[in-house]
Amino acid sequence: MHQLTLANISKALAAKQFSVRELTSHLLTRIEQLDPQLNSFITLSKDSALQQAEAADELRSTGISAPLLGVPLAHKDLFCTEGVRTSCASKMLDNFVAPYTAAVVDNLNKAGCISLGKLNMDEFAMGSSGETSFYGASKNPWDTSRVPGGSSSGSAVAVAARLVPASTGSDSGGSIRQPAAFTGLTGIKPTYGRISRWGMTAYASSFDQAGFLAHTAEDCAMLLQATAGFDERDSTSAQQPVDNYVEALSQPLKGLRVGLPQEYFDSRLDSRIGDVVHTAIDQLKQLGATFVDISLPSLPHAVPAYYVIASAEASTNLARFDGVRYGYRCEDPKDLEDLYLRSRNEAFGEEVKRRIMIGTYALSTGYYDAYYLKAQKIRRLIKNDFDSAFKNVDLILGPTTPNLPWQLGSKVNDPVAAYLEDIYTVPANLAGIPGLSMPAGMIDGLPVGVQLLAPYFQEARLLQVAHQFQQHTDWHARTPAGF
Ligand code: GLN
């Protein structure tokens, strides 16, 4: 059962091949047996999952059948879930139970999904390895001495190790696409505003976007279908009609024009990853796509601009964690100042503190123009680069990451080295366009991802191209040894 994709689980449940309860207890047992070596879950919701499973079985027995009814998922631990702890992998929120459920999770619940629990991540989604988690790093099931990517690290690991068929994640600078690439999954970051941010803990609000990690584009399409759409509770939610993502999958690729940005294939890129990308290009050519060279000239400035703006936004968003209203409070504060200082100092990890300091500095009176304003101008240049590229092409293709997953611990003392690994993913967040990573090869037993980028609200095109690719390849169907 755990080898099935979400779409096939949906079919098997409809055909009564097994019950939701059987499937749920099977997965819960796997999590209990296998997750101690992977650390992908922060909270396991065993009892409530089994209760939800029974309710789903009952609905199915009365003849009700919705595609996601009884499909088990798990959620990144920054989505608020009523009655279940939402920690953001921080000591600050170790005991926090939200009084409401995030829009994404709520929509999935309403569609009938079962929640198995909450998944490990970098603290407050700051990181690209999972190592900034208060609960310890998640391990990559393809090689447990390596990082699975981040910040949606547990979301990637749990799906790659087949503990759950799909998961939610969030992507502010690559946190869905990069871990998907590092663990052999399909991960989609929709257009900014496509899915409501309501109830998703804010890191960098102008970048944050919820999305999914699954084995196939088809699975991502089913999840996006259930969650995309306007939500008046999120002022940046888009009032744009929702496409039929599932129907679009079967469209052929003939006539598709794809741009290859030369800046994505320069000396930063591990040449073996470049070879994998070129093999994928050849396969897509056979399916009818044509390729043209393009340029995104502002790309070299994307990482510095992202880290200035994201840190600035993080510094204001995280001001709410002050030891007064909720979250961690230090013991015996002397006065209010001491309460603020010690609560924040004792409960935030190093990376979070670093970003609060960078952000506060960049926003301070004397430096605002030199850093924050400058970064915003670069952000506009990057958006302009994409706008002009998409005048000539339907889609942009390149590697998701410049390198393979690195050894756990090898970059913890060099944050800038880790930041530079985000070079290919942050441009989509700066511009707000949708992106997808799909597995396209293996090097030394480690998965490699190819990234697709599309114009605003063209998620259907991303999913269609990935689906057509997956009809002719089997990289998405592989399982790491031992899982
Ligand atoms: N790796 C990036 C960072 O550390 C992206 C994080 C994210 O997308 N949440 O900020």
Side-chain angles (χ1 to χ4, degrees):
M1 280 184 277
H2 58 266
Q3 292 289 351
L4 296 173
T5 63
L6 188 148
N8 285 336
I9 285 176
S10 175
K11 285 183 199 132
L13 288 173
K16 300 199 175 13
Q17 285 170 18
F18 45 77
S19 68
V20 181
R21 198 195 151 94
E22 280 167 321
L23 173 65
T24 304
S25 22
H26 174 68
L27 294 176
L28 288 168
T29 308
R30 277 180 66 79
I31 295 166
E32 283 175 336
Q33 281 171 355
L34 298 168
D35 202 46
Q37 46 174 317
L38 298 173
N39 199 26
S40 68
F41 275 81
I42 291 176
T43 303
L44 191 59
S45 307
K46 206 173 161 180
D47 295 341
S48 66
L50 289 169
Q51 273 166 19
Q52 288 171 7
E54 253 155 47
D57 275 331
E58 222 168 283
L59 284 174
R60 281 203 177 266
S61 73
T62 63
I64 295 175
S65 116
L68 294 176
L69 179 56
V71 169
L73 299 177
H75 302 293
K76 186 172 183 176
D77 207 15
L78 53 51
F79 292 105
C80 286
T81 43
E82 189 182 345
V84 179
R85 163 170 71 158
T86 298
S87 74
C88 292
S90 180
K91 180 175 176 182
M92 184 59 90
L93 293 177
D94 185 38
N95 289 320
F96 177 65
V97 179
Y100 58 88
T101 296
V104 187
V105 178
D106 198 35
N107 283 328
L108 292 167
N109 289 346
K110 286 188 181 128
C113 293
I114 311 288
S115 173
L116 300 187
K118 306 292 291 289
L119 296 163
N120 205 354
M121 54 184 279
D122 280 294
E123 185 178 5
F124 285 105
M126 300 180 194
S128 41
S129 67
E131 291 165 296
T132 70
S133 168
F134 172 61
Y135 305 100
S138 300
K139 315 243 167 78
N140 192 324
W142 293 95
D143 175 349
T144 51
S145 72
R146 289 175 192 271
V147 303
S151 65
S152 308
S153 45
S155 302
V157 173
V159 179
R162 298 187 184 268
L163 307 180
V164 62
S167 62
T168 54
S170 69
D171 188 317
S172 312
S175 281
I176 288 175
R177 288 161 289 155
Q178 183 253 23
F182 278 9
T183 57
L185 299 178
T186 307
I188 184 162
K189 178 205 95 75
T191 309
Y192 181 77
R194 178 69 297 179
I195 298 180
S196 170
R197 288 187 296 121
W198 196 77
M200 179 167 88
T201 311
Y203 149 45
S205 317
S206 75
F207 298 107
D208 297 345
Q209 183 55 59
F212 309 100
L213 296 99
H215 292 287
T216 64
E218 184 181 19
D219 292 358
C220 288
M222 291 173 72
L223 294 167
L224 186 60
Q225 204 73 62
T227 49
F230 176 65
D231 179 357
E232 61 180 17
R233 298 168 299 180
D234 169 5
S235 62
T236 57
S237 165
Q239 304 221 22
Q240 174 88 11
V242 175
D243 290 331
N244 191 328
Y245 304 113
V246 179
E247 217 163 71
L249 295 172
S250 54
Q251 311 245 325
L253 300 191
K254 206 167 158 26
L256 185 84
R257 273 172 70 82
V258 185
L260 300 172
Q262 61 184 61
E263 294 81 4
Y264 274 62
F265 294 89
D266 67 5
S267 58
R268 274 178 289 245
L269 179 65
D270 179 332
S271 62
R272 297 168 302 170
I273 295 183
D275 293 344
V276 167
V277 177
H278 280 103
T279 308
I281 291 170
D282 289 341
Q283 281 158 327
L284 290 168
K285 275 185 190 160
Q286 281 169 22
L287 298 176
T290 52
F291 287 81
V292 288
D293 289 329
I294 59 162
S295 176
L296 301 170
S298 303
L299 183 94
H301 311 299
V303 168
Y306 165 78
Y307 276 94
V308 168
I309 300 170
S311 301
E313 294 182 10
S315 73
T316 64
N317 274 325
L318 272 62
R320 72 192 67 177
F321 302 108
D322 55 7
V324 176
R325 282 161 289 192
Y326 43 77
Y328 179 84
R329 177 178 295 179
C330 68
E331 299 267 341
D332 303 322
K334 278 202 311 282
D335 51 28
L336 188 62
E337 174 105 352
D338 188 46
L339 169 78
Y340 290 153
L341 276 175
R342 277 204 293 124
S343 298
R344 288 167 68 79
N345 189 33
E346 288 166 21
F348 284 140
E350 254 188 49
E351 183 60 26
V352 171
K353 286 179 191 162
R354 180 180 296 121
R355 295 198 192 191
I356 291 174
M357 287 194 289
I358 293 173
T360 309
Y361 183 83
L363 289 176
S364 59
T365 321
Y367 295 101
Y368 183 91
D369 289 359
Y371 294 106
Y372 184 73
L373 204 64
K374 185 83 158 252
Q376 290 289 20
K377 289 179 180 166
I378 294 171
R379 184 174 196 173
R380 174 50 63 113
L381 292 177
I382 287 170
K383 179 191 183 299
N384 292 349
D385 279 1
F386 281 117
D387 285 348
S388 43
F390 284 128
K391 287 198 180 112
N392 301 314
V393 297
D394 306 310
L395 198 77
I396 292 174
L397 182 146
T400 309
T401 64
N403 292 300
L404 294 170
W406 53 90
Q407 289 285 331
L408 280 156
S410 65
K411 288 193 204 292
V412 282
N413 295 321
D414 190 354
V416 174
Y419 296 172
L420 290 170
E421 296 290 327
D422 295 338
I423 178 71
Y424 301 145
T425 50
V426 291
N429 304 82
L430 284 158
I433 57 170
L436 176 148
S437 180
M438 60 180 189
M442 304 277 290
I443 297 169
D444 294 342
L446 297 167
V448 176
V450 162
Q451 180 174 217
L452 309 175
L453 301 171
Y456 296 104
F457 300 105
Q458 298 299 322
E459 286 81 7
R461 194 178 297 163
L462 294 176
L463 292 162
Q464 169 215 357
V465 175
H467 179 73
Q468 292 302 320
F469 182 77
Q470 290 174 346
Q471 298 305 102
H472 296 89
T473 54
D474 68 353
W475 302 108
H476 59 283
R478 313 223 168 173
T479 306
F483 300 97

